[in-house]
Amino acid sequence: MKILAMDSTALTATVAVTDNGELLAEYTLRNGNTHSETLLPMVEHVLSSLGLSASDIDLFAVANGPGSFTGVRIGVATVKGLAFGQNKPCIGVSALEALAGNLCSFSGLICPVMNARRSQVYTALFRSDGERLTRLCEDVAMSTEELDAYLAAFGEPVHFCGDGYELMTEAVKRTQALPTCDRLRHQSAYSVAAAALRAYERGEAVSDAALSPTYLRLPQAERERLERLQKNKE
């Protein structure tokens, strides 16, 4: 099964193609350009380099959140466009689960963290036995202080990853943060593909029409509007 996977939920944009779990190609950019300009050309480059087209893909996968609202929408829209009219299955993967997959060869607690601004992170918690991940909590948005307290209750060192890595390792006071090398901290479309294959085997594939973003909180503009309304009431 050939899987085309991508992740544009954060600053990093990444695209990969796998075949029955084997990585054929991965293309990653972290150059500050908007994903609307780079993601589709990256897909086209990866496919053409392998001598493939979208019609050769058996499963389309995307990290569909949480993360940057614009980035999440771009990734989902790109997959929907590529899969449109092909009657091919699609999978939306948690960006946090995919990040945790980067560290699945480590044993112990793995905590992906994505910077959600306002001293908050999007996060989840996983335990790895060195081969497989077990999810310990659902994707949530919380403050760095709340996450530190939550992790401290486990009484174990933790591997962090994601673009909130430095924010969280500097914020923790009761949790021992184990070092994670820069290469494993960032989004990887290969990890998205691996998570998508597991989801497909669980029967979680959807149509391109049914594929949708997953947000953990309202967009900033909507939050600010509600805050203004609340102040006016007061």
Side-chain angles (χ1 to χ4, degrees), residues 185-196:
R185 294 180 200 172
H186 306 293
Q187 281 73 15
S188 165
Y190 172 69
S191 293
V192 174

Side-chain angles (χ1 to χ4, degrees), residues 78-94:
T78 300
V79 163
K80 290 169 76 74
L82 289 167
F84 180 74
Q86 296 200 61
N87 197 30
K88 298 286 184 71
C90 298
I91 295 281
V93 170
S94 162

Side-chain angles (χ1 to χ4, degrees), residues 154-167:
F154 286 85
E156 301 176 43
V158 178
H159 277 287
F160 291 105
C161 57
D163 66 2
Y165 176 85
E166 293 182 356
L167 173 68

Side-chain angles (χ1 to χ4, degrees), residues 164-185:
Y165 176 85
E166 293 182 356
L167 173 68
M168 200 62 221
T169 53
E170 292 173 1
V172 291
K173 294 180 172 57
R174 291 179 281 177
T175 306
Q176 180 187 356
L178 297 172
T180 301
C181 69
D182 186 73
R183 176 65 183 88
L184 298 179
R185 294 180 200 172

Side-chain angles (χ1 to χ4, degrees), residues 161-231:
C161 57
D163 66 2
Y165 176 85
E166 293 182 356
L167 173 68
M168 200 62 221
T169 53
E170 292 173 1
V172 291
K173 294 180 172 57
R174 291 179 281 177
T175 306
Q176 180 187 356
L178 297 172
T180 301
C181 69
D182 186 73
R183 176 65 183 88
L184 298 179
R185 294 180 200 172
H186 306 293
Q187 281 73 15
S188 165
Y190 172 69
S191 293
V192 174
L197 181 58
R198 294 192 297 270
Y200 179 80
E201 291 171 346
R202 295 193 298 266
E204 298 177 6
V206 299
S207 67
D208 59 279
L211 183 67
S212 61
T214 298
Y215 302 124
L216 293 183
R217 66 183 192 186
L218 294 171
Q220 182 177 348
E222 181 64 13
R223 294 198 308 272
E224 291 175 351
R225 185 184 71 83
L226 292 175
E227 288 172 1
R228 289 194 299 270
L229 288 174
Q230 183 62 37
K231 288 180 180 178

